[in-house]
Amino acid sequence: MGFLLSVAFVLCWSSGFVGAKLGTETADAPTLLMWRFLPLAVVLAAVAVLWRGRRSWRGLTRRDVGRQGVIGLLSQSGYLLTVYYAIQLGVSSGTTALIDGTQPLVAGALAGPLLRQYVSARQWLGLCLGLGGVALVTTADASAMTGVAWWTYLVPFAGMLSLVAATFLDQRSRTSVAPLVSMTVHCTTSAVVFTAAALLTGAAAPPADSSFWIATAWLVVLSTFGGYGLYWLVLRRSGVTRVNTLMFLMAPVTAVWGALMFGEPFTVQTGVGLAVALAAVAVVHGGPKGGSGEGAAPDADGAPAARRADRVPCRG
């Protein structure tokens, strides 16, 4: 089951970069994001209130809901705005996915001091290999693409940091929040942010092109319910280091899709970088089971910190 969830997560999450590329070909990023989340938030809010409202929201304080709102701002609004903007500026979908894939190294460095989920030497080796793969593919793409400013490659990096911050904020929470509730709060928060951004920039009106609505449906079904929902589910089951290491696999899938669907460059150096990224995932996931690696410190009740953190209910 864990393997199948990981495969589904990689396929669904990588589909978001393809959907973003499809959507931003006919509309600005705020337009696409507004129409992705506004109808979705309305439907989720109605389901949460009318179907399972009383049971799902029972016992939650304003602070709990506010915390979910902040997580949504970081993991959806901050992350998606930077990813879509980078693609709109000309950064290829494959490179955007690879820059996004540096987050395992950042998460691994922070997991110990923040969550007491310590990373083993084997996992550190895999994380560093993955970073090398990211560097190879990014430099190959930068040299093959023309007319793309160097600073645009920093934009998806900022989005990666936003998602890492949301991940740690979620993992440090001790309140059980139903997935339907957290998804509703996240999407509603994002709908407000993206609608405001679209209105302020005069980009609220959707284009008449049918490809825009195809891209929107793609993003709602595959990216939001599939990729985003599975991210939090796999995070709970596998821990921070392992779920984030799967991000190294987003690049191979996205780069192939980008080459086939959009004619984006796929050089020998790109292939070598992707092979290194795949090796990184194999190294990290070939070690001992558990999200934190070896040597995790026990908590007060004697349970390893990795399992203690994994007891935090799924919220997404």
Side-chain angles (χ1 to χ4, degrees):
M1 177 61 75
F3 174 76
L4 293 177
L5 283 176
S6 297
V7 170
F9 165 62
V10 171
L11 290 175
C12 289
W13 189 278
S14 63
S15 72
F17 299 99
V18 178
K21 183 75 171 181
L22 288 170
T24 53
E25 287 182 340
T26 56
D28 291 336
T31 309
L32 180 60
L33 289 167
M34 170 186 169
W35 289 103
R36 171 181 173 178
F37 282 98
L38 188 58
L40 180 61
V42 172
V43 172
L44 284 174
V47 171
V49 172
L50 299 177
W51 179 43
R52 296 179 57 188
R54 294 180 179 178
R55 182 173 58 182
S56 299
W57 296 83
R58 186 177 301 157
L60 295 181
T61 65
R62 291 184 179 179
R63 181 175 181 179
D64 296 329
V65 176
R67 186 186 190 95
Q68 290 300 312
V70 174
I71 292 173
L73 282 173
L74 292 169
S75 61
Q76 285 189 345
S77 304
Y79 174 73
L80 291 174
L81 273 175
T82 52
V83 167
Y84 281 44
Y85 186 49
I87 291 175
Q88 185 176 321
L89 289 172
V91 181
S92 73
S93 56
T95 296
T96 304
L98 269 170
I99 295 174
D100 187 52
T102 61
Q103 68 172 283
L105 199 66
V106 177
L110 297 176
L114 293 182
L115 299 177
R116 296 174 66 194
Q117 294 186 22
Y118 296 99
V119 181
S120 68
R122 180 191 181 101
Q123 289 176 323
W124 273 121
L125 173 61
L127 294 176
C128 291
L129 276 174
L131 182 61
V134 169
L136 281 171
V137 179
T138 302
T139 54
D141 181 77
S143 61
M145 300 284 287
T146 57
V148 180
W150 66 268
W151 59 266
T152 58
Y153 294 94
L154 299 178
V155 176
F157 186 79
M160 176 274 295
L161 293 178
S162 183
L163 182 59
V164 169
T167 301
F168 281 97
L169 183 61
D170 176 84
Q171 285 280 279
R172 288 177 65 87
S173 174
R174 295 300 180 189
T175 303
S176 176
V177 180
L180 177 61
V181 172
S182 60
M183 183 72 83
T184 301
V185 175
H186 295 180
C187 290
T188 301
T189 303
S190 296
V192 171
V193 171
F194 295 140
T195 300
L199 290 172
L200 289 174
T201 57
D209 197 319
S210 61
S211 63
F212 171 82
W213 297 109
I214 293 174
T216 301
W218 175 302
L219 290 167
V220 170
V221 176
L222 293 178
S223 303
T224 302
F225 287 112
Y228 189 72
L230 286 171
Y231 178 84
W232 299 108
L233 179 59
V234 178
L235 175 67
R236 180 195 178 192
R237 294 172 63 95
S238 302
V240 171
T241 301
R242 286 175 179 260
V243 70
N244 279 283
T245 306
L246 289 173
M247 291 295 181
F248 288 137
L249 288 176
M250 303 305 170
V253 178
T254 307
V256 171
W257 278 6
L260 294 176
M261 297 179 66
F262 309 118
E264 295 178 348
F266 193 99
T267 65
V268 174
Q269 185 176 340
T270 302
V272 173
L274 297 180
V276 173
L278 286 168
V281 176
V283 169
V284 173
H285 286 260
K289 294 182 179 181
S292 62
E294 300 165 350
D299 61 10
D301 61 11
R307 286 189 295 152
R308 179 197 62 193
D310 285 345
R311 288 202 300 262
V312 180
C314 174
R315 286 175 290 281

